[in-house]
């Protein structure tokens, strides 16, 4: 899935630790030191209690598909590798993130399907978190 024409995220002060962890093959998100809320997207303030105290927590990388759609026509330059599955994934630790489902046929994706994170290299600095069905991951990466 390496693409030089696809627009890439531009890490800022808040998100740089997230992208560094992704590059290292780990899903990390901010966890509030005051209320324990795990949050995504990274920010300077907790959206639950407004505390500024947090640490970066390693997550399990496991979740479930909350919702999904299939993109059949590229509306943005660089996203022309269609069709692809765009999904909302509820992580075990609480946050919901928008991502892509890979490693399975479009017809196999279901609501509540268990998924696990995988990282794809978009550039040397940016590795994108995508998700694959748990069953596929257990069978081996060579099938992805």
């Amino acid at each position: 899935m390496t693409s030089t024409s696809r627009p890439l995220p531009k890490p800022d002060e808040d998100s740089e630790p997230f992208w560094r962890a992704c590059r290292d093959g780990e899903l990390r998100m901010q966890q509030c030191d005051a209320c324990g809320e795990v949050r995504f997207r990274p920010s300077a303030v907790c959206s639950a209690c407004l505390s500024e105290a947090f640490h970066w927590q390693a997550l399990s990388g496991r979740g479930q598909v909350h919702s999904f759609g299939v993109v059949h026509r590229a509306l943005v330059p660089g996203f022309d590798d269609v069709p692809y599955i765009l999904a909302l994934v509820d992580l075990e630790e609480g946050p919901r993130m928008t991502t892509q489902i890979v490693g399975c046929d479009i017809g196999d994706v279901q609501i509540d399907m268990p998924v696990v994170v995988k990282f794809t290299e978009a550039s040397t600095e940016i590795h994108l978190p995508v998700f694959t069905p748990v069953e596929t991951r257990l069978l081996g990466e060579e099938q992805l």
Side-chain angles (χ1 to χ4, degrees):
M1 180 194 270
T2 302
S3 173
T4 56
S5 62
R6 181 176 278 196
L8 297 177
K10 292 183 179 16
D12 60 20
E13 183 179 340
D14 293 328
S15 68
E16 194 280 328
F18 171 81
W19 292 112
R20 184 175 357 108
C22 288
R23 188 179 63 236
D24 294 340
E26 186 175 46
L27 190 60
R28 285 187 167 268
M29 293 186 182
Q30 294 173 329
Q31 183 169 21
C32 180
D33 291 337
C35 72
E37 181 85 8
V38 177
R39 64 182 181 251
F40 185 75
R41 302 179 36 131
S43 65
V45 177
C46 177
S47 60
C49 74
L50 303 180
S51 172
E52 295 178 9
F54 69 89
H55 64 279
W56 285 91
Q57 178 65 41
L59 304 184
S60 68
R62 293 185 301 268
Q64 291 184 319
V65 174
H66 173 80
S67 182
F68 71 95
V70 179
V71 178
H72 291 279
R73 186 173 65 130
L75 299 176
V76 177
F79 290 88
D80 49 1
D81 189 17
V82 292
Y84 61 89
I85 305 161
L86 188 61
L88 293 173
V89 169
D90 290 331
L91 300 174
E92 277 187 354
E93 294 82 1
R96 178 177 293 160
M97 63 185 300
T98 304
T99 187
Q100 195 171 347
I101 304 295
V102 300
C104 66
D105 291 331
I106 289 170
D108 292 339
V109 179
Q110 299 175 22
I111 302 297
D112 295 329
M113 179 175 76
V115 291
V116 64
V117 74
K118 171 186 169 157
F119 298 93
T120 61
E121 184 178 343
S123 74
T124 56
E125 293 299 313
I126 300 292
H127 292 209
L128 300 171
V130 296
F131 286 77
T132 187
V134 169
E135 296 79 26
T136 303
R137 187 65 173 254
L138 294 174
L139 291 174
E141 291 291 334
E142 65 278 356
Q143 294 184 356
L144 298 178

